[in-house]
Amino acid sequence: MVGLREPDDAAVWRLDEERAIVVTTDFFTPVVDDAYDYGSIAAANSLSDVYAMGGQPFLALNVAALPDNLPPEVSSEIIRGGAEKAREAGVVIAGGHTVKDKEPKYGLVVIGFVDPRKMLSKGGLKVGDVLILTKPLGFGVTTTALKQQKADEQDVQVAVTWMKRLNKTASQLAIEFNLHGGTDITGYSLLGHGMEMAEASGVSLRFDFAAVPFISGARKYAEQGIFPGGAFDNKKHFGEKVNFADSIDEPKQMLLFDPQTSGGLLFGVPQDSVDPFLARAKELDQPAWKVGRVQAGSGIQIDD
Protein backbone atom coordinates (compact mmCIF):
# COMPACT_ATOMS: atom_id res chain seq x y z
CA MET A 1 0.00 0.00 0.00
CA VAL A 2 2.86 2.39 0.81
CA GLY A 3 6.41 2.02 -0.46
CA LEU A 4 9.06 3.87 -2.44
CA ARG A 5 6.61 6.02 -4.41
CA GLU A 6 5.03 7.71 -1.39
CA PRO A 7 6.75 10.26 0.91
CA ASP A 8 5.66 8.46 4.10
CA ASP A 9 8.38 7.10 6.38
CA ALA A 10 7.15 3.51 6.72
CA ALA A 11 6.25 0.69 4.35
CA VAL A 12 2.71 -0.71 4.58
CA TRP A 13 1.66 -4.17 3.36
CA ARG A 14 -2.02 -5.13 3.39
CA LEU A 15 -2.80 -8.50 4.99
CA ASP A 16 -6.58 -8.37 4.63
CA GLU A 17 -9.42 -5.83 4.69
CA GLU A 18 -8.89 -4.99 8.35
CA ARG A 19 -5.14 -5.36 8.87
CA ALA A 20 -1.93 -4.15 7.34
CA ILE A 21 1.67 -4.47 8.51
CA VAL A 22 3.70 -1.27 9.02
CA VAL A 23 7.51 -1.58 8.89
CA THR A 24 10.05 1.17 9.57
CA THR A 25 13.54 1.80 10.93
CA ASP A 26 15.50 4.75 12.27
CA PHE A 27 18.76 5.25 14.16
CA PHE A 28 21.16 8.13 14.78
CA THR A 29 24.17 9.36 16.74
CA PRO A 30 23.74 10.75 20.30
CA VAL A 31 21.80 14.01 20.63
CA VAL A 32 22.26 14.27 24.42
CA ASP A 33 25.01 13.34 26.89
CA ASP A 34 23.10 10.89 29.09
CA ALA A 35 23.25 7.34 27.66
CA TYR A 36 19.87 6.26 29.05
CA ASP A 37 18.12 9.36 27.71
CA TYR A 38 19.78 8.84 24.32
CA GLY A 39 18.48 5.27 24.10
CA SER A 40 15.01 6.34 25.20
CA ILE A 41 14.85 9.19 22.68
CA ALA A 42 16.12 6.99 19.84
CA ALA A 43 13.47 4.38 20.60
CA ALA A 44 10.65 6.95 20.83
CA ASN A 45 11.79 8.41 17.52
CA SER A 46 11.86 4.99 15.83
CA LEU A 47 8.39 4.12 17.09
CA SER A 48 7.01 7.45 15.89
CA ASP A 49 6.76 6.51 12.21
CA VAL A 50 4.24 3.78 13.05
CA TYR A 51 2.21 6.17 15.21
CA ALA A 52 2.35 8.78 12.43
CA MET A 53 0.40 6.39 10.20
CA GLY A 54 -2.20 5.59 12.82
CA GLY A 55 -0.66 2.22 13.62
CA GLN A 56 0.17 0.34 16.80
CA PRO A 57 3.74 -1.00 17.08
CA PHE A 58 4.12 -4.44 18.63
CA LEU A 59 7.61 -5.77 17.76
CA ALA A 60 11.06 -4.20 17.40
CA LEU A 61 14.72 -5.10 16.85
CA ASN A 62 17.70 -3.15 18.18
CA VAL A 63 20.09 -1.64 15.63
CA ALA A 64 23.34 -0.46 17.23
CA ALA A 65 26.85 0.57 16.20
CA LEU A 66 29.15 0.90 19.20
CA PRO A 67 32.85 1.77 19.57
CA ASP A 68 35.26 -0.80 21.00
CA ASN A 69 36.31 1.61 23.75
CA LEU A 70 32.80 2.48 24.91
CA PRO A 71 32.45 1.29 28.52
CA PRO A 72 30.00 -1.62 28.86
CA GLU A 73 27.97 0.29 31.43
CA VAL A 74 27.36 3.06 28.85
CA SER A 75 26.32 0.60 26.13
CA SER A 76 23.97 -1.15 28.53
CA GLU A 77 22.36 2.17 29.53
CA ILE A 78 21.67 2.99 25.87
CA ILE A 79 20.01 -0.38 25.35
CA ARG A 80 18.13 -0.13 28.65
CA GLY A 81 16.76 3.27 27.69
CA GLY A 82 15.45 1.86 24.45
CA ALA A 83 14.03 -1.25 26.12
CA GLU A 84 12.12 0.66 28.78
CA LYS A 85 10.67 3.10 26.23
CA ALA A 86 9.57 0.15 24.09
CA ARG A 87 7.98 -1.45 27.15
CA GLU A 88 6.08 1.79 27.81
CA ALA A 89 4.76 1.55 24.25
CA GLY A 90 3.70 -2.08 24.72
CA VAL A 91 6.39 -3.24 22.28
CA VAL A 92 8.57 -6.34 22.58
CA ILE A 93 12.23 -5.97 21.55
CA ALA A 94 13.19 -9.39 20.20
CA GLY A 95 16.94 -9.10 19.76
CA GLY A 96 18.65 -7.14 17.00
CA HIS A 97 22.13 -6.57 15.63
CA THR A 98 25.26 -4.71 16.74
CA VAL A 99 28.36 -3.72 14.76
CA LYS A 100 31.52 -1.80 15.65
CA ASP A 101 31.84 1.86 14.70
CA LYS A 102 33.83 4.90 15.79
CA GLU A 103 30.74 6.81 16.93
CA PRO A 104 27.70 5.35 18.74
CA LYS A 105 24.54 4.88 16.72
CA TYR A 106 21.31 3.39 18.02
CA GLY A 107 17.72 2.90 16.97
CA LEU A 108 15.07 0.31 16.20
CA VAL A 109 13.49 -1.64 13.40
CA VAL A 110 9.78 -1.45 14.25
CA ILE A 111 6.82 -3.52 13.07
CA GLY A 112 3.22 -2.55 13.74
CA PHE A 113 -0.37 -3.14 12.68
CA VAL A 114 -2.71 -0.57 11.15
CA ASP A 115 -6.29 -0.75 9.91
CA PRO A 116 -5.90 0.20 6.21
CA ARG A 117 -9.31 1.87 6.29
CA LYS A 118 -8.17 4.26 9.01
CA MET A 119 -4.54 4.78 8.01
CA LEU A 120 -2.99 8.24 8.20
CA SER A 121 -0.78 9.46 5.35
CA LYS A 122 0.96 12.60 4.17
CA GLY A 123 -1.43 12.69 1.23
CA GLY A 124 -4.59 12.81 3.34
CA LEU A 125 -5.04 16.57 3.85
CA LYS A 126 -8.18 18.33 2.58
CA VAL A 127 -8.80 22.01 1.85
CA GLY A 128 -10.34 23.57 4.98
CA ASP A 129 -8.53 21.30 7.45
CA VAL A 130 -6.99 22.95 10.51
CA LEU A 131 -3.35 22.05 11.17
CA ILE A 132 -2.72 20.77 14.70
CA LEU A 133 0.73 20.05 16.17
CA THR A 134 1.25 17.82 19.22
CA LYS A 135 4.79 18.78 20.38
CA PRO A 136 6.60 22.13 20.41
CA LEU A 137 9.61 22.84 18.21
CA GLY A 138 13.21 23.74 19.06
CA PHE A 139 14.88 20.40 19.75
CA GLY A 140 17.51 20.83 17.04
CA VAL A 141 18.78 24.24 18.12
CA THR A 142 18.78 23.18 21.78
CA THR A 143 20.74 19.96 21.28
CA THR A 144 23.16 21.83 19.00
CA ALA A 145 23.66 24.41 21.75
CA LEU A 146 24.37 21.48 24.09
CA LYS A 147 27.04 20.15 21.71
CA GLN A 148 28.60 23.63 21.61
CA GLN A 149 28.46 23.82 25.43
CA LYS A 150 26.23 26.90 25.23
CA ALA A 151 22.96 25.39 26.47
CA ASP A 152 21.32 25.98 29.83
CA GLU A 153 20.74 22.72 31.69
CA GLN A 154 17.07 23.55 32.24
CA ASP A 155 16.50 24.07 28.50
CA VAL A 156 18.16 20.74 27.71
CA GLN A 157 16.03 18.93 30.25
CA VAL A 158 12.85 20.38 28.74
CA ALA A 159 13.95 19.19 25.29
CA VAL A 160 14.81 15.71 26.62
CA THR A 161 11.42 15.38 28.31
CA TRP A 162 9.59 16.20 25.08
CA MET A 163 11.83 14.00 22.90
CA LYS A 164 11.27 11.01 25.20
CA ARG A 165 7.49 11.44 25.02
CA LEU A 166 5.76 8.84 22.86
CA ASN A 167 3.35 9.87 20.10
CA LYS A 168 1.07 6.99 21.12
CA THR A 169 -1.79 9.04 22.59
CA ALA A 170 -1.68 11.57 19.76
CA SER A 171 -1.98 8.74 17.23
CA GLN A 172 -4.88 7.14 19.09
CA LEU A 173 -6.61 10.51 19.14
CA ALA A 174 -6.27 10.82 15.37
CA ILE A 175 -7.84 7.38 14.88
CA GLU A 176 -10.65 8.24 17.30
CA PHE A 177 -11.54 11.27 15.15
CA ASN A 178 -11.13 9.41 11.86
CA LEU A 179 -8.39 11.72 10.57
CA HIS A 180 -6.61 10.87 7.33
CA GLY A 181 -3.79 13.42 6.96
CA GLY A 182 -0.82 13.19 9.32
CA THR A 183 2.95 12.94 9.68
CA ASP A 184 5.60 13.18 12.37
CA ILE A 185 7.92 16.19 12.46
CA THR A 186 11.52 14.99 12.44
CA GLY A 187 14.66 15.69 10.42
CA TYR A 188 13.07 17.66 7.58
CA SER A 189 11.59 20.19 10.05
CA LEU A 190 8.05 21.53 10.29
CA LEU A 191 8.32 23.17 6.87
CA GLY A 192 10.00 20.21 5.17
CA HIS A 193 7.50 17.65 6.36
CA GLY A 194 4.71 20.18 5.85
CA MET A 195 5.82 20.59 2.23
CA GLU A 196 5.78 16.81 1.76
CA MET A 197 2.18 16.78 3.00
CA ALA A 198 1.16 19.73 0.83
CA GLU A 199 2.60 18.19 -2.34
CA ALA A 200 1.27 14.70 -1.61
CA SER A 201 -2.21 16.12 -0.91
CA GLY A 202 -2.27 18.65 -3.77
CA VAL A 203 -2.89 21.60 -1.43
CA SER A 204 -1.08 24.56 0.16
CA LEU A 205 -0.45 25.16 3.87
CA ARG A 206 -0.70 28.43 5.78
CA PHE A 207 1.03 28.61 9.17
CA ASP A 208 0.59 31.28 11.83
CA PHE A 209 4.08 31.79 13.28
CA ALA A 210 2.70 33.34 16.49
CA ALA A 211 0.70 30.14 17.13
CA VAL A 212 3.63 27.74 16.68
CA PRO A 213 4.91 26.51 20.07
CA PHE A 214 8.63 26.48 20.90
CA ILE A 215 10.42 25.06 23.93
CA SER A 216 12.18 27.39 26.34
CA GLY A 217 15.47 28.66 25.03
CA ALA A 218 14.84 27.86 21.35
CA ARG A 219 14.43 31.47 20.29
CA LYS A 220 17.43 32.51 22.39
CA TYR A 221 19.67 29.99 20.64
CA ALA A 222 18.21 30.96 17.27
CA GLU A 223 19.13 34.60 17.91
CA GLN A 224 22.70 33.40 18.55
CA GLY A 225 22.72 31.56 15.21
CA ILE A 226 23.06 28.14 16.84
CA PHE A 227 21.53 25.79 14.28
CA PRO A 228 22.42 22.25 13.20
CA GLY A 229 23.66 21.83 9.64
CA GLY A 230 20.41 20.10 8.73
CA ALA A 231 18.50 23.36 9.22
CA PHE A 232 20.44 24.99 6.38
CA ASP A 233 20.00 21.88 4.24
CA ASN A 234 16.24 22.04 4.85
CA LYS A 235 16.11 25.72 3.91
CA LYS A 236 18.09 25.09 0.73
CA HIS A 237 15.89 22.19 -0.30
CA PHE A 238 12.43 23.47 0.69
CA GLY A 239 12.88 27.25 1.00
CA GLU A 240 11.99 28.20 -2.57
CA LYS A 241 8.41 27.04 -2.06
CA VAL A 242 7.93 28.87 1.27
CA ASN A 243 6.73 32.47 1.40
CA PHE A 244 7.40 34.33 4.66
CA ALA A 245 5.69 37.51 5.81
CA ASP A 246 8.15 40.44 5.65
CA SER A 247 8.10 40.84 9.44
CA ILE A 248 9.48 37.31 10.05
CA ASP A 249 13.25 37.68 10.45
CA GLU A 250 15.98 35.15 9.66
CA PRO A 251 16.20 33.51 13.12
CA LYS A 252 12.43 32.94 13.15
CA GLN A 253 12.53 31.50 9.65
CA MET A 254 15.35 29.15 10.56
CA LEU A 255 13.43 27.86 13.59
CA LEU A 256 10.82 26.49 11.19
CA PHE A 257 13.56 24.71 9.22
CA ASP A 258 15.09 23.29 12.43
CA PRO A 259 15.40 19.46 12.29
CA GLN A 260 13.56 17.76 15.12
CA THR A 261 14.46 14.51 16.84
CA SER A 262 11.40 12.59 18.04
CA GLY A 263 9.13 15.51 17.24
CA GLY A 264 5.37 15.62 17.45
CA LEU A 265 2.65 14.72 14.97
CA LEU A 266 1.08 17.20 12.56
CA PHE A 267 -2.56 16.51 11.68
CA GLY A 268 -5.15 17.96 9.36
CA VAL A 269 -8.38 18.17 11.37
CA PRO A 270 -11.72 19.04 9.67
CA GLN A 271 -13.00 22.41 10.88
CA ASP A 272 -16.13 21.02 12.53
CA SER A 273 -14.04 18.51 14.52
CA VAL A 274 -11.45 20.94 15.90
CA ASP A 275 -13.19 21.90 19.15
CA PRO A 276 -14.14 18.29 20.08
CA PHE A 277 -10.63 17.17 19.10
CA LEU A 278 -8.95 19.73 21.36
CA ALA A 279 -11.37 18.96 24.20
CA ARG A 280 -10.64 15.25 23.95
CA ALA A 281 -6.89 15.95 23.77
CA LYS A 282 -7.16 17.87 27.03
CA GLU A 283 -8.98 14.93 28.65
CA LEU A 284 -6.15 12.62 27.59
CA ASP A 285 -3.44 15.07 28.75
CA GLN A 286 -2.26 15.29 25.14
CA PRO A 287 -0.82 18.70 24.19
CA ALA A 288 -2.18 20.12 20.93
CA TRP A 289 -1.80 23.49 19.24
CA LYS A 290 -3.66 24.97 16.26
CA VAL A 291 -0.84 26.22 14.04
CA GLY A 292 -2.40 26.82 10.62
CA ARG A 293 -4.81 25.67 7.96
CA VAL A 294 -5.00 23.89 4.62
CA GLN A 295 -5.87 25.88 1.51
CA ALA A 296 -6.14 25.39 -2.23
CA GLY A 297 -2.99 26.02 -4.24
CA SER A 298 0.61 24.99 -3.68
CA GLY A 299 3.54 25.81 -1.40
CA ILE A 300 3.53 27.18 2.14
CA GLN A 301 2.73 30.66 3.47
CA ILE A 302 3.96 31.82 6.89
CA ASP A 303 2.07 34.67 8.57
CA ASP A 304 3.41 36.59 11.55
Side-chain angles (χ1 to χ4, degrees):
M1 294 180 65
V2 178
L4 291 175
R5 293 168 299 175
E6 293 80 10
D8 295 285
D9 296 324
V12 181
W13 182 274
R14 187 197 300 271
L15 298 174
D16 52 42
E17 291 302 312
E18 299 180 353
R19 296 181 307 154
I21 286 280
V22 186
V23 185
T24 185
T25 187
D26 207 335
F27 59 95
F28 48 77
T29 57
V31 292
V32 294
D33 293 333
D34 184 86
Y36 177 87
D37 285 342
Y38 164 48
S40 182
I41 291 166
N45 182 76
S46 299
L47 294 163
S48 184
D49 285 339
V50 177
Y51 291 134
M53 303 195 77
Q56 174 59 49
F58 71 93
L59 182 67
L61 301 173
N62 285 317
V63 178
L66 303 171
D68 281 340
N69 60 352
L70 193 68
E73 58 270 23
V74 175
S75 300
S76 64
E77 279 297 280
I78 294 171
I79 301 300
R80 186 173 73 88
E84 293 191 357
K85 185 56 59 174
R87 188 176 300 116
E88 179 186 337
V91 171
V92 174
I93 295 183
H97 189 64
T98 301
V99 298
K100 297 177 183 178
D101 203 347
K102 294 179 180 179
E103 187 173 15
K105 300 172 183 68
Y106 175 69
L108 302 176
V109 175
V110 184
I111 301 174
F113 284 121
V114 66
D115 185 333
R117 301 165 298 180
K118 300 179 180 180
M119 187 175 69
L120 294 163
S121 75
K122 290 179 179 177
L125 295 179
K126 303 295 182 185
V127 172
D129 284 352
V130 174
L131 296 170
I132 291 182
L133 183 65
T134 65
K135 286 186 186 181
L137 305 179
F139 306 157
V141 291
T142 302
T143 54
T144 301
L146 172 63
K147 291 177 182 178
Q148 296 181 8
Q149 299 182 332
K150 297 177 181 177
D152 293 338
E153 184 177 346
Q154 183 178 354
D155 295 336
V156 174
Q157 191 53 53
V158 169
V160 167
T161 299
W162 279 108
M163 288 188 290
K164 288 169 65 173
R165 184 183 180 112
L166 292 171
N167 283 322
K168 181 177 182 178
T169 303
S171 179
Q172 292 170 344
L173 189 60
I175 297 304
E176 182 177 330
F177 279 82
N178 198 31
L179 304 185
H180 296 287
T183 189
D184 58 338
I185 305 303
T186 52
Y188 285 161
S189 74
L190 176 68
L191 293 185
H193 289 292
M195 186 65 70
E196 289 182 327
M197 293 185 77
E199 292 180 344
S201 302
V203 297
S204 69
L205 306 187
R206 195 175 196 103
F207 288 103
D208 177 6
F209 184 87
V212 176
F214 295 94
I215 59 173
S216 62
R219 299 196 190 203
K220 172 179 63 181
Y221 302 129
E223 293 290 341
Q224 297 174 35
I226 302 174
F227 287 99
F232 301 100
D233 293 339
N234 288 337
K235 182 178 181 181
K236 181 179 180 180
H237 188 73
F238 299 106
E240 290 184 357
K241 299 178 181 179
V242 180
N243 182 44
F244 290 94
D246 292 340
S247 56
I248 300 178
D249 60 20
E250 183 75 8
K252 289 181 178 179
Q253 292 181 28
M254 291 302 296
L255 278 171
L256 299 184
F257 288 114
D258 183 40
Q260 305 300 289
T261 298
S262 190
L265 303 186
L266 179 66
F267 297 130
V269 180
Q271 181 67 55
D272 58 1
S273 297
V274 171
D275 288 343
F277 182 94
L278 293 175
R280 180 62 173 149
K282 188 174 182 179
E283 288 178 3
L284 297 173
D285 195 29
Q286 171 58 58
W289 292 268
K290 292 191 294 183
V291 295
R293 59 188 183 276
V294 180
Q295 301 179 154
S298 61
I300 294 179
Q301 171 68 37
I302 311 296
D303 300 325
D304 197 356

